[in-house]
């Protein structure tokens, strides 16, 4: 089952960026970016709320609520900032910054959960970081503003903190409480987005989504809901098989490898020496993690 969970996490993680890009085209201002994430957070809250009720009931203990609150804040920050970032950031810069989010849960797990990765795992993590930067050196496209870069960094930090909140909840309750955790996380995220929208609507522009953008928004929101729910839930299940260093490095490295291979096969893009080296580095990074799984 471990490899099924891993495959689902990698595929949905990679696809979510495509749907975020679609949704961002319908967000003409920051007020829209604040309310649009509610379109996927509320349905996900309903799905996981029903799942919790049908299994062990909704668990409102502090071991669920506190990590869920951290995740909810992070979901809201990540959703808003990622939509804003994708409006103006060049593709390469966005990919570099957002993909580096896997570093945050590893560092936080070391600091707060006393997870001490083996030296070989750390080498693998460093290789994955090197690949992200190396593969994007010299790639251009779009014009980056300072504000857009800040949004990209905040979305990366938010995504990494979500991963840590998931790891924290499962560290306290191994194999339990996942449905309740995600139910409360998405409820908190939706409430925060609605409050932010209300505050922005009073002082700024109101949300106006044109008819031509409704299809893109609907497709993006549905895609994000599916990818978001499946990706983070499978990440939660994976915490029972591997520590943070292994889990997030493997997911990131696999995502890069799949993206390169899909580009080669589907888009008929040639694998240049730089991409070939990156594939080798990714393979070594993954091997480093599987040699020392916890």
């Amino acid at each position: 089952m471990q490899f099924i969970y891993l495959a689902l996490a990698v595929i949905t993680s990679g696809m979510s960026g495509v749907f975020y890009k679609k949704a961002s085209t319908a967000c003409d201002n920051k007020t829209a970016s604040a309310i649009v994430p509610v379109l996927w957070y509320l349905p996900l809250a309903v799905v996981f709320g029903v799942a919790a009720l049908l299994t062990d009931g909704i668990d409102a203990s502090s071991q669920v609520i506190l990590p869920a609150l951290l995740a909810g804040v992070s979901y809201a920050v990540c959703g808003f900032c990622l939509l804003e970032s994708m409006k103006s950031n060049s593709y390469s810069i966005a990919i570099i910054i957002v993909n580096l989010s896997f570093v945050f849960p590893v560092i936080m797990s070391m600091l707060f959960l006393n997870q001490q990765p083996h030296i070989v795992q750390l080498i693998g993590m460093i290789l994955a970081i090197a690949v992200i930067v190396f593969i994007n050196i010299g790639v251009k496209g779009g014009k980056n503003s300072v504000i857009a870069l800040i949004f990209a960094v905040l979305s990366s930090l938010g995504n990494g903190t979500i991963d840590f909140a998931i790891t924290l909840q499962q560290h306290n309750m191994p194999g339990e409480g996942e449905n309740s955790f995600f139910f409360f996380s998405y409820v908190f995220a939706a409430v925060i987005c609605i409050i932010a929208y209300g505050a922005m609507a009073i002082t700024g522009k109101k949300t106006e989504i044109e008819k031509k953008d409704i299809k893109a928004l609907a497709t993006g929101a549905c895609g994000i809901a599916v990818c978001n729910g499946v990706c983070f839930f499978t990440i939660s299940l994976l915490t029972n098989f591997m520590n943070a260093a292994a889990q997030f490095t493997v997911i990131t490295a696999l995502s890069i490898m799949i993206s390169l291979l899909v580009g080669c096969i589907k888009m008929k893009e040639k694998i240049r020496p730089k991409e070939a080296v990156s594939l080798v580095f990714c393979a070594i990074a993954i091997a480093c993690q599987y040699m020392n799984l916890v």
Side-chain angles (χ1 to χ4, degrees):
M1 291 300 291
Q2 172 189 351
F3 296 105
I4 295 176
Y5 298 151
L6 190 60
L8 287 172
V10 170
I11 292 169
T12 52
S13 175
M15 287 298 297
S16 64
V18 175
F19 292 115
Y20 263 105
K21 188 65 176 178
K22 278 185 174 292
S24 71
T25 61
C27 301
D28 62 339
N29 55 52
K30 291 181 176 60
T31 310
S33 296
I35 196 63
V36 162
V38 176
L39 295 178
W40 54 84
Y41 288 147
L42 277 183
L44 284 170
V46 172
V47 169
F48 282 103
V50 171
L53 289 172
L54 293 177
T55 51
D56 300 322
I58 294 178
D59 185 345
S61 66
S62 61
Q63 290 180 311
V64 170
I65 292 292
L66 293 180
L69 180 58
L70 176 62
V73 173
S74 302
Y75 273 124
V77 170
C78 186
F80 171 78
C81 290
L82 197 51
L83 287 172
E84 282 298 302
S85 173
M86 286 197 169
K87 291 179 186 179
S88 54
N89 262 334
S90 69
Y91 179 75
S92 61
I93 292 296
I95 290 299
I96 290 173
I97 296 174
V98 175
N99 278 351
L100 287 174
S101 67
F102 84 100
V103 175
F104 299 122
V106 176
I107 293 174
M108 287 188 280
S109 295
M110 291 171 64
L111 293 175
F112 299 108
L113 301 181
N114 199 31
Q115 289 190 5
Q116 300 301 324
H118 190 279
I119 185 63
V120 176
Q121 288 186 307
L122 291 177
I123 292 172
M125 196 172 97
I126 292 170
L127 279 173
I129 295 171
V131 168
I132 293 170
V133 176
F134 177 66
I135 203 170
N136 288 284
I137 290 175
V139 179
K140 297 180 179 179
K143 186 177 180 180
N144 305 292
S145 67
V146 174
I147 297 298
L149 291 175
I150 291 173
F151 279 130
V153 171
L154 288 174
S155 65
S156 180
L157 180 58
N159 192 64
T161 307
I162 293 167
D163 290 334
F164 172 68
I166 293 170
T167 304
L168 179 61
Q169 187 272 323
Q170 279 298 290
H171 179 267
N172 294 331
M173 303 173 63
E176 298 178 15
E178 298 99 335
N179 291 322
S180 294
F181 167 79
F182 284 108
F183 165 68
F184 284 114
S185 296
Y186 289 123
V187 168
F188 289 144
V191 169
I192 292 169
C193 287
I194 291 170
I195 293 173
Y197 168 74
M200 289 183 183
I202 293 172
T203 58
K205 295 180 180 179
K206 292 185 179 180
T207 303
E208 294 183 5
I209 298 173
E210 298 181 12
K211 287 184 178 180
K212 64 182 179 64
D213 295 325
I214 292 177
K215 183 177 180 180
L217 179 58
T219 303
C222 290
I224 294 169
V226 173
C227 290
N228 200 302
V230 173
C231 179
F232 287 111
F233 187 71
T234 50
I235 283 175
S236 175
L237 297 177
L238 279 169
T239 58
N240 299 312
F241 296 97
M242 55 181 75
N243 65 9
Q247 181 179 348
F248 299 116
T249 301
V250 169
I251 290 174
T252 301
L254 274 175
S255 297
I256 294 170
M257 292 179 76
I258 290 173
S259 297
L260 289 175
L261 292 174
V262 167
C264 175
I265 298 170
K266 187 105 176 157
M267 312 292 185
K268 306 300 181 183
E269 296 175 352
K270 292 182 179 180
I271 293 186
R272 297 168 297 172
K274 184 166 69 172
E275 279 82 9
V277 172
S278 298
L279 284 171
V280 173
F281 278 13
C282 283
I284 295 173
I286 293 170
C288 287
Q289 305 309 321
Y290 274 98
M291 287 169 61
N292 294 278
L293 287 183
V294 174

